[in-house]
Amino acid sequence: MRALAGLFEVEDVETPYGGMAVSYEPLGHVWLKLGARRRRERTEAGRAASVETTTVETRVDPRLRPGRVLRFGGADWAIVFVEVGAERPGRAKLSLERVR
């Protein structure tokens, strides 16, 4: 299955009142070949969260790097890892993660 995803740079800014404001700067769009989704539980600081992970394939693009966000299927997915493989020139595999 293929999906068109929006690519965003996430910017955290501290507000004058000590809070945090998050903004998403659009960088463009990329086509993705979606892989299977997996779900696991993660506990941090005494709080449990459900984490969904997937691997997708796309064309090599210098804008795709860890920390940026892909938005598709009504959800935001953080890019965790980018692997450019020698076996398929011009293609990259991305590891994505979404905390629910």
Side-chain angles (χ1 to χ4, degrees):
M1 179 181 199
R2 297 183 62 83
L4 182 63
L7 177 63
F8 297 89
E9 178 76 47
V10 179
E11 297 179 19
D12 296 329
V13 180
E14 187 172 343
T15 66
Y17 302 104
M20 294 299 291
V22 179
S23 64
Y24 294 86
E25 181 70 30
L27 300 175
H29 292 85
V30 293
W31 280 102
L32 305 174
K33 181 180 176 186
L34 303 176
R37 294 182 183 184
R38 292 170 295 287
R39 187 177 308 216
R40 61 185 166 85
E41 296 295 319
R42 178 170 62 187
T43 304
E44 291 181 0
R47 190 174 152 244
S50 177
V51 178
E52 200 169 356
T53 60
T54 189
T55 302
V56 298
E57 185 178 306
T58 187
R59 293 188 186 272
V60 173
D61 188 329
R63 300 174 300 168
L64 297 170
R65 57 180 180 240
R68 291 194 169 162
V69 170
L70 290 168
R71 185 175 290 163
F72 62 94
D76 289 347
W77 293 81
I79 300 173
V80 178
F81 185 74
V82 179
E83 176 187 350
V84 178
E87 68 276 354
R88 295 211 53 202
R91 300 286 181 171
K93 286 188 178 182
L94 309 177
S95 295
L96 306 180
E97 183 175 273
R98 176 172 87 132
V99 178
R100 299 182 73 181

